[in-house]
Amino acid sequence: MANRTTPASAQRGVTMADVARHAGVSRTAVSFVLSSRETASISEDTKHRILEAVQTLGYRPNAGARALASQRSDWYGLVTEIVTAPFAVNIIKGAQDQAWLDKRFLLIASTEQGGGRPDSEHAGMEEAAVEKLLEQRVAGILYAATWHRAVSVPEIIREIPTVLINCFDAEGTLPSIVPDERGGGRRATERLLAAGHRRIGFINLDPDIPAAVGRLEGYYDALATAGVAPDPGLIVSGHATADGGYTAARELLDRSGKAGRPTALFCANDRMAMGAYDAIKEHGLAIPHDIAVIGFDNQELIAAYLRPKLTTVALPFEEMGALGVQTLASLTAGQPITAHQQMVDCPLLERFSV
Amino acid sequence: MANRTTPASAQRGVTMADVARHAGVSRTAVSFVLSSRETASISEDTKHRILEAVQTLGYRPNAGARALASQRSDWYGLVTEIVTAPFAVNIIKGAQDQAWLDKRFLLIASTEQGGGRPDSEHAGMEEAAVEKLLEQRVAGILYAATWHRAVSVPEIIREIPTVLINCFDAEGTLPSIVPDERGGGRRATERLLAAGHRRIGFINLDPDIPAAVGRLEGYYDALATAGVAPDPGLIVSGHATADGGYTAARELLDRSGKAGRPTALFCANDRMAMGAYDAIKEHGLAIPHDIAVIGFDNQELIAAYLRPKLTTVALPFEEMGALGVQTLASLTAGQPITAHQQMVDCPLLERFSV
DNA sequence: GCAATCAACTAACGCGCGTAACTTAGATCA
DNA sequence: TGATCTAAGTTACGCGCGTTAGTTGATTGC
């Protein structure tokens, strides 16, 4: 049996010079053909000979050398804390896929390591990560956060084109891409209103964060448009966990305000919705028959496995990642950015809890 | 106010030559100092001058040029389908962290794009991904799977050092790292036995996959060691979903075999445990008072948010990722690999369902 | 007092490639 | 027929760096 381990290409170092020699042309000709320059004129015949040589020798371009010679690179850096957080990992996927389409590579630098470092140390890691990426001569940097918030980026990041994803810098000097929380909140509330609900409880997150602010605004927007007066008694804040949702839901269900208990619950995230499910079931109520529930975030592992499956608003992680790469591409191409902060829609995913 | 945008370093292209000029030495001297070669002798004085020049000029080495000149690279490629699957993403984290410690970069190539491609197309994507990584001249490749199984890797991957993570090749010719399913199954069952349970139901996955085989073997191991005769009536297979777990659990609970219903349930994954919880609650039973439950996989989003929180066996994703990088490091260093298949322990995480 | 040693460097080459500037043989034109 | 132009290439340089093979002046050994 023939030696099947390695085609000719395996012997490291088939270079353009080898291809040139094999095709009987100069190295430059090979370069011209491979980079398909229109300005240079190479006859169809030799072009064909060269491509054939490439094939038989198993030539593989050396991306590093190419970057060195051409003074530009095919790489974007992605610095992020989200590698661990299964939550927002789809940002990576979106960015990765888009980068792949653009024939670019993503160098991912994780800034989260070991548990519970102090902030100062984390900042140091971020700077180190950016430094490393700059050493790789990336063409630009994506900076992605686990949850939508204001961040302070290391200063050196400003040396090259940068796009923030799922976060924004307090000064507002860097282009950023964030979810349209408000639109999502409106959409969810509208859905409940459309189902005939008028007393809609809202279980909110820590009211200081952008997600809470936006989602609540959207809730108000929808009520206002529908001409329903908001009832402050229907709005509570809870810990962003299943337990928090459980407690908050009990509070709302026990409460018999001026017009009785809510007939629907809009939970500002899916984990809280998970807890709310428990509270509702303990109350002997059925979802969605007795009470409707809508979540937020679309954490698949929760939303798709709750019984009944949870109708929820999705955070557009993948889209944000892709848009980030696109934005970075225009930035590095020198095109001016139209909007400094781009918002991406949060679509409603209909399942069976409404 | 001074122009704060850019330190000297920002002007792209502070090279070693610049540093040398600034320090009044040859470029070679700079190179020697920066790569801290012991063989070369540079006086403390000039060494200091050089480092100072590096500092004031903001010199940053060019990783690409370095790789080109030294004929080796700081990169490992990670080709995987798991970018999307929040599930096994910790493999990436483990690998990333370990690579960072080794001062190496991970180039991640996702092979999963758009939904539901046919297998053939997926294979094509994998080959393209590997090809791209080879163009980057990575020093080695990690190939990681979402779930533990046999895979067939693209042939070109054999051109360079490769380590499989969470999977193995059918021929067994590549070093691989997999979870110790059997040990995990044993550990879970032992825990239930230690809690006094003797009738332990086992809800298994599709019995053909390695995870199902191993976990069941572990279950038998523990029973045998404890001198408990296995009851075939206590073992069922279900769909690997919450619904599947729900159905399977009902079946076990309704069944009043020779010795009544099981007092504990070992579910071969957490999603099924989630469904089992529902079935148990519908039966009016309390966890863990009336019946204990143990899961497998430690899907945080489920296990940590179920009420009560689920005791489960963790898949050592992070460890496998880290071990993968370590193994690859020894491979690329030319050291022979001791074991062709390395197994990593699956620890039991105690929560409140036992 | 002179060869041998050594510390402290430097000159020069090449890694694989992009690219501007030049060459050459044939076609075109006045 | 000589000048001009073009197609089809080639020569030569440099990207930033690692590395080998020197070079140079001071010190040592006898």
Side-chain angles (χ1 to χ4, degrees):
Chain A
M1 185 181 276
N3 171 4
R4 62 189 285 280
T5 58
T6 54
S9 69
Q11 275 30 284
R12 284 302 199 88
V14 180
T15 83
M16 275 182 54
D18 298 327
V19 174
R21 206 169 308 122
H22 192 270
V25 297
S26 74
R27 205 184 46 68
T28 306
V30 178
S31 176
F32 284 170
V33 168
L34 291 188
S35 52
S36 54
R37 291 166 59 96
E38 298 96 7
T39 63
S41 51
I42 308 283
S43 72
E44 280 306 316
D45 181 51
T46 45
K47 189 181 294 185
H48 185 257
R49 270 203 340 276
I50 290 175
L51 291 178
E52 207 168 47
V54 164
Q55 206 65 30
T56 67
L57 292 183
Y59 168 74
R60 190 150 35 216
N62 181 323
R66 180 173 286 182
L68 181 58
S70 65
Q71 296 287 75
R72 45 193 148 73
S73 87
D74 290 341
W75 309 316
Y76 291 147
L78 173 57
V79 13
T80 178
E81 67 208 9
I82 65 184
V83 173
T84 340
F87 190 69
V89 82
N90 277 333
I91 292 179
I92 301 185
K93 172 166 167 55
Q96 182 81 50
D97 287 355
Q98 182 65 42
W100 183 268
L101 288 181
D102 296 358
K103 302 197 188 315
R104 293 176 169 283
F105 252 94
L106 229 48
L107 293 185
I108 300 183
S110 156
T111 61
E112 199 258 12
Q113 225 173 354
R117 309 244 169 161
D119 272 8
S120 62
E121 196 161 334
H122 181 259
M125 285 209 52
E126 284 196 339
E127 180 138 2
V130 173
E131 188 70 35
K132 272 292 179 193
L133 289 176
L134 291 179
E135 285 184 9
Q136 307 294 327
R137 298 298 188 271
V138 294
I141 288 189
L142 296 167
Y143 181 105
T146 309
W147 53 280
H148 184 181
R149 67 182 193 276
V151 296
S152 59
V153 297
E155 275 300 312
I156 50 169
I157 215 174
R158 296 172 191 277
E159 291 183 20
I160 62 169
T162 298
V163 175
L164 305 184
I165 302 182
N166 204 28
C167 57
F168 52 93
D169 64 323
E171 306 94 38
T173 55
L174 292 171
S176 68
I177 293 167
V178 296
D180 179 11
E181 311 276 6
R182 185 170 186 164
R186 180 162 21 80
R187 204 160 283 150
T189 312
E190 282 170 356
R191 176 66 184 84
L192 293 172
L193 287 165
H197 299 283
R198 288 299 173 270
R199 293 190 55 70
I200 303 174
F202 183 52
I203 302 180
N204 205 0
L205 306 162
D206 169 355
D208 287 337
I209 65 176
V213 174
R215 293 169 197 184
L216 181 57
E217 282 175 354
Y219 171 80
Y220 283 137
D221 287 352
L223 290 185
T225 305
V228 176
D231 175 355
L234 287 179
I235 301 176
V236 296
S237 283
H239 215 235
T241 61
D243 281 338
Y246 175 82
T247 308
R250 285 196 58 148
E251 197 181 328
L252 283 176
L253 292 177
D254 288 341
R255 191 180 286 176
S256 36
K258 54 181 178 187
R261 65 159 179 82
T263 64
L265 247 41
F266 174 22
C267 304
N269 82 17
D270 290 352
R271 293 207 298 275
M272 297 198 303
M274 189 174 177
Y277 264 48
D278 277 343
I280 290 168
K281 289 178 184 172
E282 283 184 16
H283 254 73
L285 300 174
I287 305 169
H289 184 261
D290 301 321
I291 187 166
V293 178
I294 282 193
F296 209 113
D297 289 358
N298 188 35
Q299 290 194 262
E300 297 270 356
L301 257 45
I302 293 177
Y305 291 110
L306 280 176
R307 318 186 52 253
K309 300 193 203 313
L310 180 68
T311 293
T312 189
V313 179
L315 283 173
F317 289 125
E318 230 178 292
E319 289 78 3
M320 291 195 294
L323 185 56
V325 169
Q326 287 170 353
T327 306
L328 196 50
S330 7
L331 262 185
T332 54
Q335 295 171 21
I337 291 301
T338 53
H340 240 41
Q341 166 144 315
Q342 301 180 73
M343 287 218 256
V344 183
D345 272 355
C346 298
L348 180 72
L349 292 191
E350 303 260 6
R351 293 205 178 87
F352 305 101
S353 63
V354 175
Chain B
M1 184 180 278
N3 173 3
R4 62 190 284 282
T5 56
T6 53
S9 69
Q11 278 27 292
R12 282 307 197 83
V14 180
T15 84
M16 276 183 55
D18 299 326
V19 174
R21 208 170 305 123
H22 191 270
V25 296
S26 75
R27 205 183 49 67
T28 307
V30 179
S31 176
F32 283 170
V33 168
L34 291 187
S35 53
S36 56
R37 290 166 60 95
E38 299 95 7
T39 63
S41 52
I42 307 284
S43 71
E44 281 304 315
D45 182 53
T46 43
K47 189 183 294 184
H48 185 256
R49 274 206 334 279
I50 289 175
L51 291 177
E52 208 168 47
V54 164
Q55 206 65 31
T56 67
L57 292 183
Y59 168 74
R60 192 151 32 218
N62 181 322
R66 182 173 285 182
L68 182 58
S70 64
Q71 296 288 74
R72 46 194 146 74
S73 89
D74 290 341
W75 305 322
Y76 291 148
L78 173 58
V79 13
T80 178
E81 65 207 8
I82 66 183
V83 174
T84 343
F87 190 67
V89 82
N90 278 331
I91 291 179
I92 300 186
K93 171 166 168 53
Q96 182 81 50
D97 287 355
Q98 182 64 41
W100 185 267
L101 289 181
D102 296 357
K103 302 196 187 314
R104 293 175 167 284
F105 253 93
L106 229 50
L107 292 184
I108 301 182
S110 157
T111 61
E112 199 259 11
Q113 229 173 350
R117 309 243 170 163
D119 270 8
S120 62
E121 197 161 332
H122 182 259
M125 284 208 53
E126 285 197 339
E127 180 138 1
V130 172
E131 188 70 34
K132 273 292 179 192
L133 290 176
L134 290 180
E135 286 185 9
Q136 308 294 325
R137 296 300 188 267
V138 294
I141 288 189
L142 296 168
Y143 181 105
T146 309
W147 54 281
H148 183 181
R149 66 182 195 275
V151 297
S152 59
V153 298
E155 275 301 312
I156 50 170
I157 216 175
R158 297 174 191 275
E159 291 184 18
I160 64 169
T162 298
V163 175
L164 305 183
I165 301 182
N166 204 29
C167 56
F168 52 92
D169 64 323
E171 305 94 38
T173 55
L174 292 171
S176 67
I177 294 168
V178 296
D180 179 11
E181 312 275 7
R182 185 171 187 166
R186 181 163 19 82
R187 204 160 282 147
T189 312
E190 281 170 354
R191 176 67 185 86
L192 292 171
L193 288 164
H197 298 283
R198 288 300 174 268
R199 291 191 56 73
I200 302 174
F202 183 51
I203 302 180
N204 206 0
L205 307 161
D206 171 354
D208 288 336
I209 66 177
V213 174
R215 293 169 197 184
L216 180 58
E217 283 175 352
Y219 170 80
Y220 283 137
D221 287 351
L223 290 185
T225 305
V228 175
D231 175 355
L234 288 178
I235 301 175
V236 297
S237 283
H239 215 236
T241 62
D243 281 339
Y246 175 81
T247 309
R250 284 197 58 149
E251 195 180 329
L252 282 177
L253 292 177
D254 289 341
R255 189 179 289 177
S256 36
K258 52 180 178 187
R261 66 161 177 83
T263 64
L265 246 42
F266 174 21
C267 305
N269 82 18
D270 289 353
R271 292 207 298 275
M272 296 197 303
M274 189 172 177
Y277 263 47
D278 277 344
I280 290 169
K281 289 177 184 173
E282 283 184 14
H283 255 72
L285 301 174
I287 305 171
H289 184 264
D290 301 321
I291 187 165
V293 178
I294 282 192
F296 210 112
D297 289 358
N298 188 35
Q299 289 194 264
E300 297 271 356
L301 258 47
I302 293 176
Y305 291 111
L306 280 175
R307 315 183 56 252
K309 300 192 203 314
L310 179 67
T311 292
T312 189
V313 178
L315 283 173
F317 289 125
E318 231 177 292
E319 290 78 4
M320 291 196 294
L323 185 56
V325 169
Q326 287 171 354
T327 306
L328 196 49
S330 5
L331 262 185
T332 54
Q335 295 171 21
I337 291 302
T338 53
H340 239 41
Q341 167 144 314
Q342 300 179 72
M343 285 218 255
V344 183
D345 272 354
C346 299
L348 181 72
L349 292 190
E350 303 260 4
R351 293 205 179 88
F352 306 101
S353 62
V354 175

